[in-house]
Amino acid sequence: MIKEDLFKEGKNMIDNSKEAVNGAVAVKALNTVKVYCAKHLCPECPLREDLEKYNSCPIPKLDVKTGVGFFRDIAGKRTTKPPKFDGSLQLSPEFKSYLTSVLDRALADEGIDSQDLVKHGELAVKIKANGLIKVGAQRDGRIKILGKAKCHPNDAFNLETGVRLAVHRMVQDADKPFEQTAGYVYYFVDYDGSIMCKPWNDDVIDRCNLALDNYFASTFSAWLHITSVKRGIRHLADALRLTLPEPEKDGD
């Protein structure tokens, strides 16, 4: 009857305080029951029905090393963590406006004017419930993910930090240089901000673009550098306007 009382007490414990039971407590309790069963063969065992039905006692067969039954199914499972971000916010016009301002600031930190990008394509931010932020571009009917940033499981989600990091990685990837190989097509930004392409021939145009760091391996890379190239062209134009003409020589 001691065994029966033990099972009744254990049942009450499971029913009344499931959340308080952890794997270590369960293993210790099951080991205690196994030792007791090995020493006592109670004729009125509460598990008699199992003995008669299966011709064996389930207690010795319990795997108490990893947790069994109720403990494996309930206590052994990790509690589902709440989402880091509510995806429904992306449908809100107010949130979209806020997200656009966050993106503009992150681009400005990298020296990019968002208005230069709008002329040729669209940059968008998508946020997953687990805190994954993707910065993608849509240009000429093509969609490409350019930068990603994922919030660490143990960290609190911060939208501005995530967008800034994703944009920074996007720019780093776009900075991969074009190999100056004869006949290879590269992309560059024209003086009016349009994106052009031509094969590398080491001609005057290529050398000018080389001086301006205006040669890229893809249209997306050129697109992200429109602001910096336009700035370089303006600086070059200002320098040429400020350059004094050489004095005329005698006899000229």
Side-chain angles (χ1 to χ4, degrees), residues 31-172:
N31 276 327
T32 302
V33 174
K34 286 184 66 175
V35 172
Y36 183 90
C37 290
K39 294 182 179 179
H40 305 78
L41 298 176
C42 304
E44 298 181 359
C45 178
L47 299 175
R48 177 62 61 186
E49 294 181 3
D50 289 332
L51 289 171
E52 294 176 354
K53 185 176 182 179
Y54 302 107
N55 195 30
S56 64
C57 178
I59 291 295
K61 296 181 180 180
L62 294 177
D63 180 9
V64 297
K65 294 181 180 179
T66 59
V68 296
F70 168 82
F71 303 102
R72 181 174 58 234
D73 297 338
I74 305 298
K77 290 184 178 179
R78 294 183 178 180
T79 304
T80 303
K81 292 185 177 181
K84 290 182 174 291
F85 175 76
D86 181 4
S88 64
L89 287 174
Q90 297 181 90
L91 302 176
S92 166
E94 292 79 8
F95 180 80
K96 288 181 179 180
S97 176
Y98 166 65
L99 183 58
T100 299
S101 65
V102 171
L103 177 60
D104 288 348
R105 288 196 297 270
L107 290 170
D109 289 342
E110 298 293 336
I112 299 175
D113 185 346
S114 60
Q115 296 304 312
D116 288 334
L117 303 182
V118 173
K119 181 179 179 181
H120 301 282
E122 180 182 359
L123 203 60
V125 178
K126 298 297 182 182
I127 311 169
K128 298 290 187 179
N130 63 354
L132 174 64
I133 295 177
K134 297 180 179 180
V135 177
Q138 182 173 351
R139 185 179 182 278
D140 298 334
R142 298 168 55 201
I143 299 176
K144 184 177 182 179
I145 301 300
L146 300 175
K148 297 180 182 179
K150 185 175 182 180
C151 181
H152 190 278
N154 297 332
D155 292 341
F157 179 74
N158 186 296
L159 177 63
E160 297 200 14
T161 300
V163 172
R164 191 182 304 114
L165 181 58
V167 168
H168 179 69
R169 290 173 176 171
M170 172 187 72
V171 174
Q172 280 187 321

Side-chain angles (χ1 to χ4, degrees), residues 6 30 39 57 87 107 114 116 133 139 171 176 187 201-203 212 225:
L6 178 62
L30 291 173
K39 294 182 179 179
C57 178
L107 290 170
S114 60
D116 288 334
I133 295 177
R139 185 179 182 278
V171 174
K176 292 180 180 178
Y187 301 85
N201 298 316
D202 199 24
D203 54 20
L212 291 168
H225 285 84

Side-chain angles (χ1 to χ4, degrees), residues 229-241:
V229 172
K230 288 174 63 177
R231 186 185 303 117
I233 293 175
R234 285 196 302 269
H235 289 169
L236 178 60
D238 291 341
L240 292 174
R241 280 195 295 268

